[in-house]
């Protein structure tokens, strides 16, 4: 069950082997098996942009199987943007094609002397030259690969940002499907790996097809009855902008403000949309095709390249998003880092001599130029390209850190200002890859659902008040475990229980899918335990990189500056209450009050990860 | 006696208007819980929506007992998480 290809680009070797079944049961796949692989093979002192970094392309346990929304995978390595766990989830059609190529995961070490791509087909991987593609942007690369390999292949590629080691370069498949966060595109660039190409129509063998198809029909019917799914399919995530803005929760001008123009409301974005499209096997169809030759924007892009930069022109936001996608830049970090730089310029911490000219809020042309310069590391773009590492590298002064709106060196992706909802604040503070809402966002908090509903979801009483600190550790840890499981099986969070609705797919439904799909029995309880194990494994990995309790915190502004506008006016995070909440969260996870995983749990997880190391060929990477 | 309802995303799309002004006889008007159905929003309950009355957020639990009054301004909208 599960085939892993180990590729050493320095030695130009490929070894294909079975993934240890016990490791699969324990970590499932996707995000879970990826972190286990990093625990097994990644030297703790590995340079994120050096050949010793381990880059893992991992499909989820159910990716490509005929179950709802199973089109996702994770790409993981040590992040050049943060220095800790790098991990990005990606949809589109590449993940299912990778599974259909007969492989579940590809583990890449070393670095090629010349640009190469990996070609996966029929359970094999070949290292092939890719010099002809080097220098091309994302669409150009994908089109050239299709010309050379045929339209039946799907590719995960980097653009110029990845080639030039921009620390927030992403990996792209199709126009917009991105493994966006934490710089996995730069890791590919450092290995001179331009693309992974997956071919073949070898659908994964299904243990009990009739039962699985019947279950798919049942679950799809249920999903289609959901108002949430219906709305996401019609409007997409841009609908969140107006509603968050009304609350006063849209991060604006690097979070100096919390409300912005209604010109970016979904209805104005839709004026430039042609249709909605989806990833493989999707019931939602959440993504716009825009009339400027790209796809999107999603909510994060809409707000971070809009409100966060003082831009109120929807056409500008859409085209800036398209440009990021073409260059292979993570829109969240791009908007976050440029907004940070704009505030530094506003405050006189950096000036024209460094920026090469004014860097003013709302200057669309300047932002467009800066994105191009960033991808090419020209001028001030070379500073932006370093993201949070610019201070450590001496390219920005130390006082710049005070205005960095990120956590664990990762700019916050969520446009939602977390000062109002205390569970949201805890969620981004403890996120294993840095400031990010997709690890644990307890969205149900904002609805303050009735006691009986919350108790059914979370299994115990919790406080409804979203601005209180008590019991928020319960909802965050519940969500974190659920999302770790769903990422590890390769299913989209938009259909996951708790992300947007208490009625969608959780442990019980996933357990029912796994048996007919794989002939493997994993109870709901075992799936929940696997989710916990993945969270613990990520904690262990980050501890090796030196993270401590002190890193589970929030930007200074979150504590020190009350929100100035809207319904949320006056709210901020109280340091002492947050500190107590953090302790309660640690203890709930079974960690000590410093956030350390117990020795027993560490031994269990490292023992399981060691199976991966034992089964891996000599890759040249380290061993635990 | 009037009640102003502002519809956020995506509710305004169902009714085709941003605001609804309801007129009533004097006295308490209706429970917040009953408002979506009263204005013709089908398939939505306050359990799945974010409601604010006079610029104060109201929990879904409280919507069952909160009586609306003359002059109240209610905002109804959906809140989700996005990627």
């Amino acid at each position: 069950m599960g085939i892993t290809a180990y590729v050493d680009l320095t030695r130009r070797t490929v070894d294909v082997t079975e993934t240890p079944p016990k490791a699969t049961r324990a970590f499932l796949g996707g995000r879970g098996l990826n972190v286990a692989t990093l625990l097994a093979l990644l030297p703790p002192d590995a340079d994120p942009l050096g050949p010793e970094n381990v880059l893992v392309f991992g499909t989820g346990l159910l990716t490509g199987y005929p179950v709802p929304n199973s089109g996702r995978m994770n790409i993981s390595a040590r992040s050049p943007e943060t220095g800790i766990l790098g991990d990005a989830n990606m949809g589109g059609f590449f993940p299912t094609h990778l599974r259909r190529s007969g492989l579940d995961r590809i583990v890449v070490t070393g670095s090629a002397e010349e640009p190469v791509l990996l070609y996966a087909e029929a359970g094999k991987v070949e290292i092939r030259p890719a010099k002809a593609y080097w220098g091309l942007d994302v669409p150009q690369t994908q089109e050239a690969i299709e010309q050379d390999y045929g339209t039946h292949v799907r590719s995960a590629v980097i653009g110029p940002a990845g080639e030039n080691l921009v620390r927030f370069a992403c990996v792209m498949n199709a126009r917009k499907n991105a493994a966006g966060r934490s710089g996995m595109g730069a890791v590919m660039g450092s290995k001179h790996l331009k693309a992974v190409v997956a071919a073949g129509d070898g659908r994964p063998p299904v243990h009990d097809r009739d039962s699985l198809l019947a279950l798919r029909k049942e679950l799809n019917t249920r999903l289609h009855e959901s108002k949430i799914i219906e709305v996401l399919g019609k409007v997409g995530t841009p609908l969140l902008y107006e509603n968050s803005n009304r609350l006063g929760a849209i991060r604006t001008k690097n979070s100096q403000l919390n409300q912005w123009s209604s010109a970016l409301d979904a209805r104005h974005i839709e004026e430039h949309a042609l249709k909605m499209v989806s990833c493989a096997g999707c019931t939602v169809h959440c993504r716009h095709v825009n009339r400027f030759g790209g796809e999107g924007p999603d909510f994060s892009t809409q707000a971070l390249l809009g409100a966060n930069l003082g831009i109120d022109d929807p056409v500008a936001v859409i085209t800036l998003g398209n440009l990021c996608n073409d260059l292979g830049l993570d829109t969240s970090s791009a908007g976050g880092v440029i907004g940070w730089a704009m505030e530094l310029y506003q405050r006189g911490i950096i000036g024209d001599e460094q920026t090469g000219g004014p860097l003013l809020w709302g200057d669309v042309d300047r932002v467009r130029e800066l994105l191009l310069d960033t991808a090419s590391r020209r001028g001030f773009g070379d500073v932006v390209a370093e993201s949070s590492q610019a201070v450590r590298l001496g390219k920005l002064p130390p006082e710049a850190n005070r205005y960095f709106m990120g956590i664990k060196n990762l700019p916050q992706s969520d446009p939602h200002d977390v000062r109002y909802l205390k569970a949201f604040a805890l969620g981004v503070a403890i996120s294993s890859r840095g400031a990010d809402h997709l690890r644990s966002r307890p969205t149900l908090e904002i609805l303050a659902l009735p006691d009986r509903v919350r108790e059914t979801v979370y299994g115990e009483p919790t406080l409804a008040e979203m601005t209180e600190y008590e019991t928020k550790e319960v909802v965050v840890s519940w969500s974190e475990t659920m999302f770790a499981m769903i990422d590890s099986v390769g299913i989209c969070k938009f259909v996951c229980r708790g992300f947007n609705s208490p009625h969608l797919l959780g442990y019980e439904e996933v357990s029912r899918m796994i048996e007919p799909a794989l002939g493997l029995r994993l109870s709901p309880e075992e799936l929940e335990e696997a989710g916990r194990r993945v969270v613990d494994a990520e904690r262990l990995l980050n501890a090796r990189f030196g993270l401590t309790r002190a890193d589970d915190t929030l930007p200074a502004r979150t504590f020190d500056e009350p929100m100035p506008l809207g319904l949320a006016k006056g709210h901020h995070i109280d340091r002492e209450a947050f500190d107590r909440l953090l302790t309660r969260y640690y203890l709930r996870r079974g960690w000590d009050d410093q956030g350390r995983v117990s020795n027993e749990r560490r031994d269990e997880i490292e023992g399981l990860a060691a199976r991966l190391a034992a089964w891996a060929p000599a890759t040249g990477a380290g061993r635990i | 006696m009037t009640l102003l309802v502002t519809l956020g995303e995506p509710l305004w799309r169902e009714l085709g208007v941003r605001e609804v002004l309801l007129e009533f006889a004097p006295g308490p008007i209706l429970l917040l819980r009953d408002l979506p159905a009263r204005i013709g929003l089908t398939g939505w309950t306050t359990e799945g929506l974010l409601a604010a009355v006079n610029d104060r957020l109201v929990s879904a639990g409280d919507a069952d007992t909160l009586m609306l009054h003359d002059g109240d301004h209610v905002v109804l909208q959906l809140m989700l998480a996005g990627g």
Side-chain angles (χ1 to χ4, degrees):
Chain A
M1 182 177 57
I3 300 294
T4 301
Y6 291 88
V7 179
D8 186 329
L9 290 174
T10 301
R11 301 178 186 180
R12 296 186 69 84
T13 59
V14 178
D15 292 277
V16 178
T17 184
E18 187 183 358
T19 309
K22 279 201 174 180
T24 301
R25 280 195 76 93
F27 296 103
L28 305 176
R31 176 179 154 190
L33 266 179
N34 283 11
V35 70
T37 304
L38 296 181
L39 277 171
L41 301 177
L42 179 65
D45 59 350
D47 176 354
L49 297 174
E52 63 273 26
N53 201 357
V54 178
L55 176 64
V56 190
F57 298 81
T59 60
L61 187 64
L62 291 168
T63 302
Y65 282 87
V67 295
N69 293 65
S70 59
R72 302 196 74 88
M73 65 179 289
N74 279 60
I75 304 176
S76 314
R78 186 174 191 184
S79 164
E81 187 172 20
T82 65
I84 62 168
L85 167 68
D87 179 68
N89 185 273
M90 178 168 75
F93 287 81
F94 176 80
T96 52
H97 271 66
L98 182 57
R99 162 81 17 95
R100 289 176 184 182
S101 76
L103 295 164
D104 301 301
R105 57 195 49 252
I106 302 176
V107 180
V108 184
T109 54
S111 177
E113 287 187 9
E114 298 265 319
V116 296
L117 62 76
L118 299 179
Y119 183 78
E121 184 175 26
K124 296 177 181 173
V125 175
E126 294 176 14
I127 303 169
R128 296 188 177 182
K131 198 171 181 180
Y133 310 126
W134 203 257
L136 300 181
D137 71 17
V138 167
Q140 289 168 341
T141 305
Q142 291 167 341
E143 286 160 15
I145 287 172
E146 279 198 8
Q147 279 184 359
D148 293 344
Y149 287 87
T151 55
H152 65 292
V153 303
R154 293 289 182 274
S155 53
V157 311
I158 58 171
E163 294 176 9
N164 292 313
L165 309 184
V166 176
R167 291 179 188 271
F168 50 92
C170 50
V171 183
M172 303 289 299
N173 81 92
R175 279 290 187 274
K176 183 184 173 295
N177 297 111
R181 304 244 67 199
S182 64
M184 297 300 96
V187 178
M188 280 182 70
S190 73
K191 296 181 179 302
H192 295 126
L193 178 59
K194 180 67 175 174
V196 180
V197 181
D201 57 2
R203 292 175 185 273
V206 175
H207 175 70
D208 180 350
R209 179 168 291 276
D210 289 345
S211 296
L212 190 61
L213 293 181
L215 178 61
R216 179 175 69 171
K217 187 176 179 184
E218 174 199 323
L219 295 176
N220 277 343
T221 300
R222 186 167 138 197
L223 292 172
H224 283 302
E225 287 170 352
S226 163
K227 274 282 189 185
I228 303 289
I229 301 298
E230 178 189 334
V231 165
L232 282 171
K234 286 181 179 171
V235 193
T237 57
L239 76 89
L240 296 169
Y241 177 86
E242 176 187 323
N243 296 349
S244 292
N245 205 24
R246 183 176 284 114
L247 280 179
I250 289 287
R251 297 197 291 127
T252 301
K253 295 186 178 178
N254 202 39
S255 297
Q256 294 180 93
L257 299 173
N258 56 322
Q259 272 187 328
W260 187 240
S261 168
S262 62
L264 298 182
D265 286 356
R267 63 186 190 278
H268 301 304
I269 300 289
E270 287 167 352
E271 291 169 10
H272 309 286
L274 300 175
K275 62 177 179 179
M276 304 296 281
V277 291
S278 75
C279 303
C282 175
T283 55
V284 182
H285 295 231
C286 70
R287 201 167 66 250
H288 294 100
V289 174
N290 63 59
R291 67 182 176 87
F292 305 105
E295 294 178 6
D298 59 282
F299 173 48
S300 293
T301 302
Q302 177 189 16
L304 285 166
L305 293 178
N308 201 49
L309 303 183
I311 292 172
D312 61 2
D313 174 3
V315 172
V317 170
I318 295 167
T319 54
L320 290 173
N322 287 352
L323 180 60
C324 284
N325 291 336
D326 290 353
L327 296 170
L329 289 168
D330 171 25
T331 56
S332 294
S333 280
V337 176
I338 293 175
W340 179 36
M342 284 179 165
E343 183 174 356
L344 298 180
Y345 185 87
Q346 170 199 314
R347 293 180 180 278
I349 295 172
I350 57 175
D352 289 342
E353 69 287 353
Q354 184 170 16
T355 60
L359 189 57
L360 303 173
W361 302 110
D363 187 342
V364 175
D365 291 339
R366 182 74 166 105
V367 172
R368 185 170 286 116
E369 176 185 271
L370 194 47
L371 290 173
L372 290 164
D373 286 348
T374 299
S376 300
R377 283 188 173 268
R378 285 191 302 257
F380 188 64
D382 182 56
V383 178
V384 173
E386 304 293 6
S387 185
S388 55
Q389 301 294 327
V391 175
R392 180 180 63 83
L393 295 168
K395 295 184 180 183
L396 285 175
E399 59 263 42
N401 274 337
R402 174 166 176 76
Y403 304 100
F404 175 66
M405 294 306 295
I407 298 164
K408 303 185 181 89
N409 293 324
L410 189 70
Q412 186 178 326
S413 57
D414 186 7
H416 201 105
D417 193 313
V418 300
R419 282 175 282 190
Y420 189 65
L421 282 90
K422 310 314 179 197
F424 284 20
L426 176 64
V428 296
I430 54 86
S431 166
S432 59
R433 66 175 176 184
D436 191 274
H437 60 299
L438 295 172
R439 293 310 230 214
S440 65
R441 161 61 62 79
T443 306
L444 304 184
E445 275 290 292
I446 205 164
L447 297 176
L449 292 166
D451 292 347
R452 60 181 164 73
V453 179
R454 290 199 325 281
E455 190 160 345
T456 301
V457 173
Y458 300 124
E460 63 187 274
T462 54
L463 209 60
E465 284 75 14
M466 63 190 87
T467 59
E468 295 291 335
Y469 296 85
E470 297 299 319
T471 71
K472 301 313 174 192
E473 74 278 10
V474 176
V475 300
V476 169
S477 59
W478 183 94
S479 304
E480 188 180 30
T481 302
M482 176 71 80
F483 299 169
M485 182 279 295
I486 213 79
D487 283 343
S488 300
V489 297
I491 289 178
C492 176
K493 285 193 186 72
F494 278 156
V495 299
C496 175
R497 182 175 304 159
F499 192 61
N500 278 322
S501 163
H503 305 300
L504 303 182
L505 310 181
Y507 301 116
E508 296 79 10
E509 291 81 3
V510 173
S511 174
R512 290 176 63 202
M513 295 176 202
I514 289 174
E515 184 164 5
L518 299 159
L520 175 68
R521 285 195 179 191
L522 277 169
S523 68
E525 292 75 23
E526 286 175 298
L527 285 170
E528 185 172 2
E529 176 58 17
R532 284 195 206 99
R533 190 177 291 113
V534 172
V535 173
D536 288 348
E538 291 178 341
R539 190 78 185 174
L540 284 168
L541 184 72
N542 280 337
R544 289 186 189 173
F545 297 133
L547 289 199
T548 67
R549 178 180 176 121
D551 297 290
D552 291 332
T553 188
L554 297 159
R557 174 164 282 148
T558 315
F559 295 110
D560 300 338
E561 297 179 25
M563 298 167 82
L565 300 167
L567 291 175
K569 183 176 179 179
H571 281 271
H572 70 109
I573 301 296
D574 179 86
R575 283 182 191 276
E576 291 183 2
F578 178 81
D579 209 43
R580 291 192 294 271
L581 172 58
L582 185 61
T583 300
R584 292 198 301 274
Y585 161 79
Y586 286 159
L587 299 179
R588 187 167 187 86
R589 290 234 69 99
W591 304 341
D592 71 11
D593 64 3
Q594 294 303 303
R596 291 177 295 226
V597 177
S598 71
N599 291 341
E600 294 77 15
R601 183 65 150 177
R602 183 199 63 208
D603 291 346
E604 175 213 326
I605 288 173
E606 291 188 347
L608 288 162
R611 290 174 180 273
L612 288 165
W615 287 43
T619 59
R623 291 286 193 280
I624 59 175
Chain B
M1 309 293 278
T2 59
L3 178 68
L4 178 63
V5 185
T6 298
L7 298 172
E9 287 285 6
L11 308 175
W12 67 271
R13 296 164 189 265
E14 294 202 14
L15 300 186
V17 292
R18 284 286 182 170
E19 292 190 335
V20 177
L21 187 66
L22 294 175
E23 295 188 4
F24 294 88
I29 296 177
L30 79 167
L31 289 169
L32 177 59
R33 177 190 65 193
D34 298 328
L35 184 60
R38 176 63 183 262
I39 60 176
L41 286 172
T42 55
W44 294 103
T45 66
T46 46
E47 207 166 277
L49 298 173
L50 183 70
V53 178
N54 303 328
D55 285 343
R56 291 183 63 86
L57 291 181
V58 180
S59 73
D62 291 344
D64 288 349
T65 55
L66 182 71
M67 187 65 77
L68 299 172
H69 294 87
D70 178 38
D72 281 349
H73 177 204
V74 182
V75 176
L76 291 175
Q77 62 185 39
L78 182 68
M79 283 307 296
L80 298 174

